Amino acid sequence: EPEVTQTPSHQVTQMGQEVILRCVPISNHLYFYWYRQILGQKVEFLVSFYNNEISEKSEIFDDQFSVERPDGSNFTLKIRSTKLEDSAMYFCASRGSGTYNEQFFGPGTRLTVL
Amino acid sequence: AQSVAQPEDQVNVAEGNPLTVKCTYSVSGNPYLFWYVQYPNRGLQFLLKYITGDNLVKGSYGFEAEFNKSQTSFHLKKPSALVSDSALYFCAVRAREGTDKLIFGTGTRLQVFP
């Protein structure tokens, strides 16, 4: 069964450093998402991406964040200058083209900012 | 504003007994409703969804959920719990119009005892 994959599974970085989280969505999906889950809190929407542009973004997704689909398979989330409060589990998700289709989530990348 | 409430942090049930995990929602218009399950160190796995039609929807692993429009609820149920059902369960809502981001509840930990 096709699945969303994410690398790395765990990233440790120093405050102020740039990180890139990588995702490979399901191959025939067209809609891509990033969510995050701070430890002990709910899963929060960050951004959605379709047709090579951002469809929607949350208040969390400020200028420090960016997304890119650099080729036909990868979807990345970049945090330019990490803060302590960026420490969280980051989930990538993808969805097929049907309006009613569910989002499929990857296993997540745990980001720890020291 | 869209929101999802899962009033129980944890639900305990004996193996073989029926289980219910509660979810209520608030959204403008008619909702799309989803249940996801998260096992330790894993991503969110899709269980089932309500889009339209029958109020009782069936999903993976013997789970089902009942949509109740008047009570704005979408409770997850299973007639006979298994120890392997022990996990974190998330209810999510997507507004029908204008957005496809998911709004998640805080999650309910289901513990099934042998």
Side-chain angles (χ1 to χ4, degrees), chain A residues 33 56 95 100 102-103, chain B residues 36 49 51 94 99-100 102:
Chain A
Y33 311 84
E56 186 175 3
R95 176 172 74 84
Y100 306 113
E102 59 274 13
Q103 296 176 23
Chain B
Y36 286 84
K49 64 184 176 185
I51 304 301
R94 172 190 154 184
T99 179
D100 65 350
L102 294 178

Side-chain angles (χ1 to χ4, degrees), chain B residues 5-65:
Chain B
Q6 293 182 244
E8 302 154 316
D9 290 336
Q10 180 152 332
V11 169
N12 298 317
V13 65
E15 187 173 34
N17 283 1
L19 69 87
T20 298
V21 182
K22 296 180 180 177
C23 171
T24 58
Y25 66 90
S26 174
V27 67
S28 304
N30 293 317
Y32 293 169
L33 293 157
F34 303 83
W35 275 101
Y36 286 84
V37 59
Q38 185 179 33
Y39 295 99
N41 301 315
R42 301 285 297 276
L44 301 166
Q45 295 181 37
F46 169 75
L47 276 180
L48 50 79
K49 64 184 176 185
Y50 172 82
I51 304 301
T52 187
D54 287 341
N55 290 340
L56 185 66
V57 293
K58 295 186 183 296
S60 307
Y61 312 120
F63 284 92
E64 57 190 28

Side-chain angles (χ1 to χ4, degrees), chain A residues 8-112:
Chain A
S9 57
H10 191 190
Q11 174 92 46
V12 181
T13 190
Q14 296 290 324
M15 188 170 56
Q17 294 296 303
E18 175 184 287
V19 295
I20 298 176
L21 309 183
R22 302 181 190 280
C23 168
V24 179
I26 293 173
S27 63
N28 61 345
H29 284 183
L30 300 177
Y31 298 83
F32 313 112
Y33 311 84
W34 285 99
Y35 292 79
R36 79 173 185 189
Q37 183 182 30
I38 295 173
L39 188 64
Q41 298 185 24
K42 64 171 69 176
V43 177
E44 303 172 288
F45 169 80
L46 290 178
V47 65
S48 58
F49 190 87
Y50 169 72
N51 199 25
N52 280 323
E53 60 183 29
I54 290 173
S55 310
E56 186 175 3
K57 59 184 181 180
S58 71
E59 293 175 353
I60 303 167
F61 195 89
D62 61 21
D63 292 344
Q64 293 299 313
F65 291 87
S66 62
V67 290
E68 189 179 30
R69 187 155 165 81
D71 53 41
S73 59
N74 290 284
F75 179 51
T76 62
L77 174 70
K78 181 193 291 186
I79 309 174
R80 289 190 184 78
S81 178
T82 50
K83 308 183 188 72
L84 296 176
E85 54 265 36
D86 293 328
S87 295
M89 180 73 89
Y90 288 81
F91 293 107
C92 174
S94 68
R95 176 172 74 84
S97 59
T99 304
Y100 306 113
N101 285 352
E102 59 274 13
Q103 296 176 23
F104 289 86
F105 285 76
T109 292
R110 180 165 298 284
L111 176 65
T112 302

